Amino acid sequence: MEFVPLRTERLVLDLPVHSDRDLVVEYCSDPVFERFMTTPWPYRLKDADFFVNEFVPKGWADGSELTWALRLVAGGPLLGVLGWRRQRLELGFWLGAPHRGFGYMTEATIALTDWLFEAHGQNVVRWECIQGNVASAGVARKAGFTYTGERRSTLPMRKGDLRPSWHAELHAGDAHQPTPGWPDPDQGM
């Protein structure tokens, strides 16, 4: 499959490239990643090299996992990464710590889901995060996903365990507005 760049009002979603690798290492070394993400820990330069030089190109080539880099301008510094796994119809994302709290990931998530529904013919996009990842859940809620409950994750963690996770779905035609039923964020969701 050919790469498809996306744009929002504030963002350019393009390919993660080799020159992003130092920022990928920096962002993926955040302790939040150790707790909530399936990325290698500790995260090293060789992991970033594999991600940008092998994983991303292969995912686009065979259509299995479509991955975008978030940037403020084309060719600008990496802010984070957003991806869609075809087999699970599932959205995943992460944002570098300096760029959190500005609504970038919600904006990118809305752009990607709109593209998946309109240009790619999807009817549903799924999302999940490890229980307690309030920031990730906040993005999904703000993008209009409907919380479908807590159950085991679909992706194993580093040691192969499937942790309790929050799950949600967004259907074609759903409004990009928060829906009721999400766990209380003040209670750690």
Side-chain angles (χ1 to χ4, degrees):
M1 176 172 195
E2 292 248 348
F3 172 72
V4 178
L6 301 173
R7 290 189 178 268
T8 72
E9 185 176 320
R10 300 182 295 167
L11 301 169
V12 173
L13 281 67
D14 64 12
L15 272 173
V17 293
H18 186 76
S19 60
D20 294 324
R21 65 193 193 127
D22 290 335
L23 283 174
V24 171
V25 171
E26 177 184 330
Y27 297 156
C28 292
S29 295
D30 183 330
V32 168
F33 281 63
E34 180 182 17
R35 182 171 176 203
F36 293 121
M37 304 293 284
T38 60
T39 52
W41 191 264
Y43 200 90
R44 297 187 171 99
L45 191 57
K46 69 177 181 152
D47 301 313
D49 283 337
F50 171 78
F51 176 69
V52 298
N53 297 325
E54 296 178 45
F55 180 83
V56 171
K58 179 188 177 300
W60 274 99
D62 66 16
S64 62
E65 184 147 351
L66 311 182
T67 305
W68 289 263
L70 279 66
R71 304 178 198 283
L72 293 176
V73 297
L78 178 74
L79 307 178
V81 170
L82 178 67
W84 180 70
R85 295 173 194 98
R86 179 184 297 275
Q87 183 180 12
R88 292 183 172 91
L89 305 177
E90 187 175 84
L91 180 80
F93 49 78
W94 56 259
L95 199 59
H99 311 293
R100 296 178 191 150
F102 298 100
Y104 295 141
M105 192 54 73
T106 300
E107 187 175 322
T109 296
I110 290 170
L112 176 54
T113 55
D114 284 350
W115 177 77
L116 288 168
F117 295 142
E118 295 167 12
H120 207 58
Q122 293 303 302
N123 294 318
V124 64
V125 175
R126 296 185 178 100
W127 162 92
E128 75 170 74
C129 76
I130 299 299
Q131 180 185 16
N133 190 342
V134 175
S136 184
V139 168
R141 185 183 62 78
K142 290 174 191 167
F145 281 72
T146 299
Y147 182 71
T148 59
E150 182 181 315
R151 53 192 178 276
R152 294 281 175 207
S153 62
T154 59
L155 290 174
M157 292 300 284
R158 289 172 206 92
K159 294 181 181 178
D161 56 319
L162 298 175
R163 293 193 185 165
S165 297
W166 296 324
H167 296 258
E169 294 183 349
L170 183 71
H171 295 265
D174 286 353
H176 290 295
Q177 298 293 323
T179 59
W182 285 84
D184 182 354
D186 293 329
Q187 303 299 317
M189 285 202 167

